[in-house]
Amino acid sequence: MHDATASASTGGVDHLVGRDADLNRIVSLLVSSSAGSALLLSGEAGVGKTELLDAVARTASEAGMYVLRAAGVQFEADVSYSALNQALLPLTDFFDSLSSTHQDAIKVALGLRVGTPPERLLLSNAALALLQARVLKGPVLLVVDDLQWVDRASAAVFGFIARRLTGNPISFLGASRTETGSFFERSGLPQLELPPLDEDASTRLVDSRFPGLAPAVRRRVLETAQGNPLALLELPSALRAGQRGAQEILPYVLPLSQRLQSLFVSRVRSLPTGTRYLLLVATLDGTGDLSTLHAAARESGGEVDLEDLAPAEHDQLVSLDTSSRRLVFRHPLISSAVVEISTGHERRAAHRALARVQSDPERRAWHLGEATLEPDEQVAVQLEQHARRILNRGDAVAAIAALTRAADLSPVDTDRARRLTEAAYIGADATGSLRSASELLKDARRVDPYQRRSLHFAAAAVQLLLNSDGDVRTAHRLLAGAIAEGKHGYDATNVALTDALHLLLLLCFYGGSPEMWEPFQTAVNQLRPEPPPLLAVAVQTFGDPARAEAAAVSQLTRILDTAMDETDSARIVRMGTASIYPDRLSALREPSWRVVHQGRDGGPVRRHLGGLMHLCLDSYHSGRWDETAQLANEGLQLCEESGYSFFAWYFLYNKAIVAASRGDTDTAQALADQMADWATPRGVRAALDYARHVQAVASISDGDFESAFRHASAVSPPGQLARYTPHALWVIFDLVESAIRSNHRTEAVNHVRALREAHVDELSPRLGLLLGGCAALACEEDDVALRLFDKSLSARGIDRWPFDRARVQLAHGERLRRSRETMAARGSLLSALRIFEQLGARSWAQRATKELRAAGWNGPRSDDHPKQELTPQEREIAQLAASGLTNKQIAEQLFISHRTVGAHLYQVYPKLGISSRAALRDALTALEASGFDG
């Protein structure tokens, strides 16, 4: 069913009236060019988009391009990958050229094989690879009509392809209505809005089709149609012969949109009963497949056959494509009119007939659900199974709809409540539909008050509670109670149970008190035959990492070895949770980006937030501070738009810690105060600890070491690592340094002793670096302290944490200067200074410069400081440009605009002392060889 099948051509003639310029523009961009391009065509209903697509497809085919076609179907929008099936099914001969992983993803998504549903990004890459395989035989044009009706899953894949055509002779052309929303993300893609025809073209079109139209009637039609080709062609058709010849009075007003709808309704209503039945079946089927239509007609008991389509075809409401054996509506308003004039009984009968002839279990379940009026457990079970399958494919919205319908058809209240509860859980956990989840929970509780004891009910209620009042303790009691009272038998393979325990783990972390951890530990210890590995690891590395066993850290390493192949976004986020305090988030950087991209394409909100959180932390520690701020802003916006307000503190922290580290202490303190003001009444101890970390770093940046010591000690008292306070590991250097500089040496020494006894250096190399720095700071003997500094700064892999490394180097240089080893002090201080300047850590850079001056350094010399420093983002852009990528390709990879890339390169060239892109590679090589990269 296409959007604008009213022809803007003279019947049967290829030339499009009034569309030459538009056609030439599209052909020039997509057909004549050797490089791949994308274009989105939009316009009002009936403006002629489909006819223009047909003309482009014909031109492309004649030019030697292989044309793939797909179109959204209004009543198939809930069927995942239905549009993708249309587009890629002709390429089955090229499946063998794909990797086995990509083959499996494509075949499962297209329904050609039963298997584990593919993750959306994997499938998107597989679809792109399939197109690239076909390109080896010649350029390809992918044309997708009616994007507003393309199912969510297909829209995400099409959007992925459309944004990655550079360098491939693949072009993408999509069309949609301007007044209709869609799942397809248009931002960043070239767009062309198809305007109405001008007066001259409108006149020529009407005259070509209705040469006998009276001049006065023609003027009225032109005035009413306002250049809409569909109206120009349909309005005269609706007139009687006397009206067309001006022998009868025309209606007084013919408003375009309302009158066209009325026109279609009246035309459909005038058809014979058998014809309307077949049109209704075709509409509800959505495929137009004549064999399906024929089989459904047989279900009428011989009262209807395909010959009954003749009146609709004669009236130009539909056409029959004999080559593809499909029925095509000339305009979607016709199918809308078919449904509008049908009765509920007629619609149910059509659905029932389609259910009987459908071989696909998902479509059969949907039709049965629509055909059934009274409660029917058999149908409800099929719908529930249907929901499971589509949820496994990642289409949570359709799964909720299927479960809700299954609940409506459930004869028993407990089954109805259970299905409503699961729909609510999916809504809260996956889609971010907190409001609808709340309504579903209310319905479930009304039907069966005992449903509130279920794990799904409790988990959904926790999400709602956290993002309304934010009361962590109440949320914890609710979920812990549901787990303790559940009938799961502590079966470790029970998915609902393990999901609930992962959520309870987070609640315990948020609350931060030992009494909250007790019921969680009890539940985990009762799991049989044993706790799942990831959960068992997270209990230690995230819950209380200072006491994590070496075996748990080793197990985490083995789990992370599988991260690159992981497709479950929930599991990727849980891996990230377990990796935060052992400093292993860098191993999840690519999978976390996949989760974020999936979220941007309409994937699960909570997973999107989790991926952003982990990328923010990794970016901060690895020195990508601009990226940290950008991702934090995205997270805050997502929290506001989705209703997941509870998680905003996490992104405020990332913005604040960057601000504090860069010396913008006013901003940092304001954000920390905002976090503390929000967290205190809600009992979110974790957010308070994060705020205190920001305050400690900001105070050190300002040189206020007494305040820094107070803030760091509030996270965990000096001399101990408080139980279930993982963030105590992240303030160890702040606490010891501020203690030493504020005359709290005893406390510093005691804290170093506690760190050594906990063997925090075995948890991660970063903590080993910081422990060495702390021990050196607290040591009174210069020679021992300097050996400790040398040992920590010579450890392998510490370059991954530039800010931490530079802070230890600064302390090392300060100790060397005070030991009168000025030449060595200059080297360590200068290395720290370069890193601080690259990061934009102004306060620390000033402190390093001051120490350098005290060590007799008189400023940059040609051998010490030959060129200006590059920021981390400038360096990344320069390296990508040196590798041969264009500004546009760099922009796509870093998710910034190509103008921003150009602006950064404009700053890079003078800093490196070069004047062209060609000199980038050598300049960067020289920079790295000099050690100036920090």
Side-chain angles (χ1 to χ4, degrees):
M1 296 181 293
H2 299 305
D3 175 64
T5 52
S7 174
S9 65
T10 56
V13 179
D14 289 342
H15 176 66
L16 294 176
V17 176
R19 298 301 189 200
D20 288 346
D22 298 307
L23 178 59
N24 291 336
R25 179 177 176 181
I26 296 173
V27 168
S28 175
L29 177 66
L30 302 182
V31 179
S32 301
S33 174
S34 59
S37 300
L39 180 66
L40 300 181
L41 187 66
S42 62
E44 64 181 16
V47 81
K49 299 183 292 299
T50 297
E51 292 293 329
L52 193 54
L53 294 186
D54 291 341
V56 173
R58 286 195 298 271
T59 303
S61 182
E62 292 168 358
M65 296 187 79
Y66 185 77
V67 180
L68 295 167
R69 297 291 297 265
V73 180
Q74 185 175 11
F75 294 93
E76 202 171 328
D78 290 335
V79 180
S80 298
Y81 300 120
S82 56
L84 191 68
N85 182 283
Q86 296 178 49
L88 299 186
L89 208 55
L91 298 182
T92 52
D93 290 342
F94 295 87
F95 284 2
D96 290 341
S97 63
L98 302 178
S99 67
S100 59
T101 301
H102 282 171
Q103 278 193 56
D104 290 341
I106 286 285
K107 290 180 178 178
V108 171
L110 299 188
L112 302 178
R113 172 181 296 176
V114 176
T116 301
E119 190 267 339
R120 189 163 293 174
L121 185 61
L122 172 65
L123 175 61
S124 298
N125 277 311
L128 183 60
L130 183 61
L131 292 175
Q132 290 169 336
R134 177 57 183 80
V135 157
L136 297 177
K137 297 188 67 176
V140 172
L141 172 63
L142 173 57
V143 180
V144 182
D145 201 359
D146 292 326
L147 280 171
Q148 73 275 3
W149 289 328
V150 167
D151 61 279
R152 182 190 297 269
S154 296
V157 178
F158 288 143
F160 178 95
I161 292 171
R163 287 172 172 80
R164 289 162 175 80
L165 300 178
T166 304
N168 294 302
I170 305 171
S171 292
F172 177 90
L173 176 59
S176 63
R177 291 185 184 180
T178 52
E179 70 273 17
T180 306
S182 72
F183 295 124
F184 187 91
E185 177 54 52
R186 297 177 174 85
S187 60
L189 293 174
Q191 301 189 41
L192 171 64
E193 183 169 355
L194 196 62
L197 298 176
D198 59 29
E199 185 174 353
D200 177 69
S202 297
T203 302
R204 286 189 286 117
L205 176 58
V206 172
D207 286 348
S208 68
R209 292 291 297 273
F210 303 99
L213 204 61
V217 177
R218 184 180 63 188
R219 283 196 302 270
R220 184 68 183 278
V221 168
L222 293 175
E223 290 171 1
T224 304
Q226 292 292 301
N228 184 285
L230 177 61
L232 290 166
L233 297 174
E234 293 298 334
L235 288 173
S237 300
L239 299 176
R240 296 187 294 272
Q243 290 174 325
R244 288 197 293 270
Q247 297 165 352
E248 299 177 26
I249 298 176
L250 294 174
Y252 179 69
V253 176
L254 294 174
L256 181 61
S257 59
Q258 295 179 7
R259 288 299 183 178
L260 279 175
Q261 177 69 27
S262 299
L263 170 65
F264 288 128
V265 169
S266 64
R267 291 177 65 188
V268 172
R269 184 177 283 123
S270 66
L271 294 171
T273 302
T275 306
R276 285 191 281 110
Y277 171 78
L278 288 176
L279 294 184
L280 180 59
V281 170
T283 297
L284 298 179
D285 173 54
T287 67
D289 182 65
L290 289 179
S291 60
T292 300
L293 201 56
H294 179 65
R298 289 203 307 268
E299 292 295 321
S300 68
E303 297 180 4
V304 181
D305 61 37
L306 293 186
E307 295 299 323
D308 287 297
L309 288 174
E313 191 175 11
H314 181 267
D315 203 24
Q316 299 185 31
L317 293 174
V318 299
S319 62
L320 300 182
D321 188 334
T322 55
S323 61
S324 63
R325 289 191 50 76
R326 292 186 181 276
L327 177 145
V328 179
F329 285 97
R330 293 189 62 238
H331 192 278
L333 285 178
I334 301 170
S335 56
S336 299
V338 168
V339 174
E340 182 175 326
I341 66 170
S342 66
T343 66
H345 174 76
E346 289 170 336
R347 290 192 294 275
R348 287 190 295 274
H351 279 299
R352 194 174 299 111
L354 286 167
R356 289 172 182 152
V357 302
Q358 276 291 343
S359 58
D360 179 78
E362 292 187 23
R363 294 180 64 82
R364 183 170 62 250
W366 178 73
H367 284 302
L368 279 174
E370 295 299 311
T372 306
L373 190 59
E374 298 295 327
D376 187 320
E377 180 61 16
Q378 288 186 341
V379 176
V381 167
Q382 290 189 53
L383 281 169
E384 187 172 2
Q385 293 171 345
H386 168 54
R388 299 273 189 278
R389 288 190 291 267
I390 56 182
L391 180 62
N392 287 337
R393 285 207 301 266
D395 196 344
V397 175
I400 292 171
L403 278 170
T404 305
R405 183 59 181 154
D408 291 340
L409 296 176
S410 301
V412 180
D413 283 348
T414 53
D415 290 329
R416 180 167 186 254
R418 174 178 58 79
R419 286 157 179 157
L420 287 172
T421 298
E422 186 171 357
Y425 171 70
I426 295 170
D429 187 67
T431 68
S433 304
L434 294 177
R435 184 175 301 175
S436 62
S438 177
E439 294 301 318
L440 289 168
L441 284 185
K442 289 179 183 178
D443 290 344
R445 189 166 49 201
R446 231 179 351 253
V447 173
D448 179 12
Y450 292 99
Q451 190 60 218
R452 66 169 59 205
R453 299 178 181 176
S454 75
L455 292 178
H456 279 148
F457 189 101
V462 161
Q463 295 293 350
L464 296 172
L465 184 60
L466 285 180
N467 293 288
S468 55
D469 297 334
D471 187 341
V472 172
R473 287 189 175 274
T474 301
H476 178 275
R477 283 197 300 271
L478 175 65
L479 187 57
I483 292 172
E485 297 173 7
K487 298 179 181 179
H488 41 67
Y490 290 98
D491 178 4
T493 65
N494 185 311
V495 176
L497 175 60
T498 54
D499 285 350
L501 286 169
H502 276 286
L503 180 55
L504 188 59
L505 170 71
L506 294 176
L507 294 177
C508 294
F509 165 74
Y510 299 146
S513 62
E515 61 268 23
M516 294 180 73
W517 283 94
E518 290 175 6
F520 171 79
Q521 293 284 9
T522 299
V524 171
N525 292 337
Q526 292 184 74
L527 289 174
R528 295 294 179 268
E530 61 183 2
L534 181 55
L535 178 63
V537 166
V539 170
Q540 295 194 48
T541 63
F542 182 66
D544 199 4
R547 293 164 183 82
E549 298 174 357
V553 179
S554 298
Q555 178 68 19
L556 176 61
T557 300
R558 290 191 290 273
I559 291 173
L560 293 178
D561 286 342
T562 68
M564 296 302 291
D565 297 322
E566 183 57 63
T567 59
D568 183 349
S569 61
R571 184 171 171 81
I572 290 171
V573 172
R574 289 170 182 172
M575 287 181 181
T577 299
S579 301
I580 292 174
Y581 292 104
D583 294 311
R584 305 295 179 87
L585 286 174
S586 60
L588 285 162
R589 189 166 180 82
E590 184 177 327
S592 294
W593 269 117
R594 292 205 307 265
V595 172
V596 169
H597 295 325
Q598 184 181 6
R600 290 172 177 173
D601 287 339
V605 173
R606 276 198 61 218
R607 312 294 177 248
H608 187 180
L609 289 169
L612 287 172
M613 291 173 187
H614 297 154
L615 285 171
C616 278
L617 294 176
D618 180 65
S619 297
Y620 171 71
H621 285 302
S622 61
R624 299 177 175 94
W625 289 359
D626 289 340
E627 181 179 85
T628 304
Q630 292 168 2
L631 293 174
N633 286 332
E634 180 179 346
L636 286 170
Q637 183 178 355
L638 184 58
C639 286
E640 181 178 357
E641 293 174 350
S642 67
Y644 279 82
S645 57
F646 179 86
F647 301 102
W649 68 268
Y650 217 119
F651 299 107
L652 291 175
Y653 164 75
N654 283 283
K655 287 173 65 71
I657 197 66
V658 169
S661 303
R662 280 181 163 164
D664 184 3
T665 55
D666 289 342
T667 297
Q669 292 285 8
L671 292 171
D673 289 343
Q674 185 179 344
M675 292 168 62
D677 291 344
W678 175 86
T680 301
R682 293 169 173 81
V684 188
R685 167 68 189 276
L688 284 174
D689 287 344
Y690 277 51
R692 289 162 179 156
H693 181 199
V694 171
Q695 291 167 328
V697 174
S699 296
I700 293 174
S701 184
D702 282 340
D704 185 355
F705 292 101
E706 184 63 44
S707 293
F709 177 69
R710 186 177 69 254
H711 291 308
S713 298
V715 178
S716 184
Q720 61 178 283
L721 292 170
R723 290 191 66 84
Y724 303 115
T725 308
H727 215 66
L729 293 176
W730 282 15
V731 297
I732 60 175
F733 197 79
D734 306 310
L735 193 155
V736 172
E737 182 183 27
S738 60
I740 292 295
R741 296 183 186 281
S742 59
N743 298 317
H744 296 285
R745 177 173 290 278
T746 299
E747 288 87 342
V749 171
N750 290 338
H751 207 62
V752 170
R753 183 183 301 112
L755 295 172
R756 282 175 166 163
E757 290 174 353
H759 303 287
V760 299
D761 54 324
E762 296 178 6
L763 195 59
S764 83
R766 186 178 77 91
L767 292 175
L769 166 68
L770 294 177
L771 173 56
C774 289
L777 280 170
C779 183
E780 295 190 77
E781 296 82 11
D782 285 343
D783 56 339
V784 176
L786 293 175
R787 284 200 298 272
L788 289 171
F789 274 123
D790 288 337
K791 181 180 179 181
S792 64
L793 288 169
S794 61
R796 295 180 61 183
I798 63 172
D799 290 350
R800 287 183 290 166
W801 301 286
F803 187 53
D804 295 306
R805 171 190 168 191
R807 288 185 66 181
V808 175
Q809 284 179 319
L810 173 58
H812 183 211
E814 291 170 335
R815 190 65 172 258
L816 285 167
R817 186 185 69 77
R818 286 164 177 72
S819 300
R820 301 182 183 279
E821 298 186 32
T822 54
M823 290 302 294
R826 290 179 195 174
S828 189
L829 292 169
L830 188 58
S831 180
L833 174 63
R834 288 167 173 168
I835 296 175
F836 291 141
E837 288 181 338
Q838 288 173 1
L839 294 172
R842 295 189 300 272
S843 297
W844 274 270
Q846 292 168 3
R847 189 168 138 193
T849 300
K850 182 179 178 180
E851 285 292 326
L852 278 166
R853 301 294 185 199
W857 183 67
N858 295 317
R861 300 193 303 271
S862 58
D863 56 341
D864 286 335
H865 210 16
K867 300 179 179 68
Q868 298 180 58
E869 298 83 351
L870 302 182
T871 68
Q873 188 162 41
E874 286 174 346
R875 176 174 297 279
E876 190 170 13
I877 289 172
Q879 289 170 339
L880 291 172
S883 72
L885 296 184
T886 66
N887 286 9
K888 185 177 180 182
Q889 291 170 325
I890 296 171
E892 291 174 347
Q893 186 163 331
L894 300 183
F895 301 96
I896 57 179
S897 74
H898 68 279
R899 295 184 181 86
T900 300
V901 174
H904 278 297
L905 288 175
Y906 182 82
Q907 299 294 328
V908 165
Y909 291 172
K911 285 186 176 184
L912 294 179
I914 61 176
S915 58
S916 70
R917 200 184 196 97
L920 269 175
R921 186 185 298 275
D922 291 340
L924 290 173
T925 300
L927 192 67
E928 292 169 359
S930 71
F932 186 68
D933 61 339

